[in-house]
Amino acid sequence: MKNQQDLMNCISNNPELMTILTIVEELHLPQACLCAGTIRSTIWNHLSTKKNYLSNDLDIIFFDPNVSYESTLLIQDQIQQKYPFYQWELRNQYDMHQHNPNTAPYLSVEDAISKFPETCTAIGIRTQKGELELIAPYGVSDLIHFKVVPTPYYQTDPERMAIFKQRLRQKDWKKTWPNLTLYLN
């Protein structure tokens, strides 16, 4: 895999992932996309030639000021019951800024993704009428080259950088993907 087009081809050639993206689209949640660790781990597994390279943990985000936290959990429960093979994690980005230190409310899914901790995780994919759309504010180079780098947003704040470093320790990604390069700036 050398570039964004290769990444998009990898996704579009994965029937299971395309089915999941169709499910996400059919939720009709504003700006909904599959993102973060789901995409990162799927691509790293694919590049590492692991047999089952789609994670069962599915990160789905959307942006809607009219959907409460409780309603989001209800939707998540409904998806979980309908598709129990996966572990669905649904998050409305309208109020998720509260989990990111010193962060103003997000304006959209794209804005939220730009404020994820790592560049390789700051990625989202969705379909609209069957067409794939990529959200990658920092590109895909770090993702496809196994680099874990804090996003520029995280680099500007000591509290966020502490979270980035804690995530590296807790996730211990090098155990699963030994060819990773970790940048601790």
Side-chain angles (χ1 to χ4, degrees), residues 65-179:
N66 299 312
V67 176
S68 69
Y69 177 75
E70 293 76 17
S71 295
T72 300
L73 290 178
L74 181 61
I75 296 166
Q76 178 179 286
D77 288 344
Q78 291 168 347
I79 300 167
Q80 190 65 54
Q81 288 176 17
K82 191 170 183 180
Y83 304 101
F85 179 72
Y86 301 104
Q87 184 61 44
W88 300 86
E89 184 175 302
L90 183 65
R91 298 289 181 259
N92 185 354
Q93 296 303 293
Y94 175 73
D95 56 9
M96 288 301 292
H97 67 282
Q98 299 170 40
H99 301 279
N100 216 351
N102 309 315
T103 300
Y106 300 140
L107 305 173
S108 65
V109 160
E110 290 82 358
D111 184 40
I113 289 173
S114 76
K115 294 176 175 81
F116 283 7
E118 307 89 20
T119 56
C120 61
T121 304
I123 187 162
I125 303 278
R126 63 179 159 218
T127 55
Q128 293 188 341
K129 299 180 183 172
E131 293 293 317
L132 279 178
E133 180 183 343
L134 174 70
I135 302 165
Y138 306 107
V140 300
S141 181
D142 289 347
L143 173 64
I144 63 178
H145 292 105
F146 291 95
K147 293 180 183 176
V148 181
V149 179
T151 60
Y153 186 73
Y154 262 66
Q155 290 180 33
T156 62
D157 184 275
E159 283 184 69
R160 291 192 294 262
M161 279 303 293
I163 291 170
F164 169 80
K165 291 173 183 177
Q166 179 183 3
R167 281 175 55 84
L168 289 184
R169 286 188 300 276
Q170 287 176 336
K171 300 285 186 179
D172 197 16
W173 289 317
K174 278 189 83 77
K175 185 180 280 183
T176 306
W177 301 283
N179 50 340

